Amino acid sequence: MSGFGRILDRAAIGLSSLCLVHCLAPPMLLLLLPVASLGLVLPEAFHIWMLSAAIPVSILALRSGHRHHRQRLPMLGAATGLGLLGFGALFIANSRIELVITVAGAICLAGAHVWNARLAARKVPN
């Protein structure tokens, strides 16, 4: 895998991690510091911004990795993760299940990129 492909996988993992922090930190802080919740409100559009960043970075990283390892399963995992993130951001925003769906999507997406990067690192370019 090219250096650029590795950078893209790392960026995608970072975006997924940022999503996890965004999803999990506020509830944890709310449990610990109820007064702090007033300053932690982000606009709902944040989810759309994150999804808009995650989609092209994921596509580029996965395509770069696929050129080296020729396996489609990381793409399936990433598509599942992006689908869950999109579903959470676009269709069930502000519902009780949104947190579960978006956390599962972020974990699935990050896992797919870790898998993609490991497969690409193992294979010798054609």
Side-chain angles (χ1 to χ4, degrees), residues 56-79:
V57 170
S58 292
I59 290 170
L60 290 171
L62 291 162
R63 185 171 37 171
S64 178
H66 183 263
R67 286 185 190 135
H68 293 277
H69 56 68
R70 300 286 186 218
Q71 294 200 24
R72 292 186 178 148
L73 286 176
M75 286 190 257
L76 180 61

Side-chain angles (χ1 to χ4, degrees), residues 20-105:
L20 281 172
V21 169
H22 167 71
C23 290
L24 296 177
M28 293 299 149
L29 289 174
L30 288 175
L31 290 173
L32 299 174
L33 304 168
V35 178
S37 67
L38 299 174
L40 294 175
V41 178
L42 291 173
E44 192 58 39
F46 178 80
H47 296 114
I48 304 300
W49 301 335
M50 288 298 296
L51 188 61
S52 297
I55 290 170
V57 170
S58 292
I59 290 170
L60 290 171
L62 291 162
R63 185 171 37 171
S64 178
H66 183 263
R67 286 185 190 135
H68 293 277
H69 56 68
R70 300 286 186 218
Q71 294 200 24
R72 292 186 178 148
L73 286 176
M75 286 190 257
L76 180 61
T80 301
L82 286 169
L84 289 169
L85 290 173
F87 185 70
L90 300 172
F91 299 109
I92 59 170
N94 298 322
S95 74
R96 291 183 181 178
I97 192 86
E98 177 191 9
L99 177 65
V100 174
I101 297 294
T102 55
V103 167

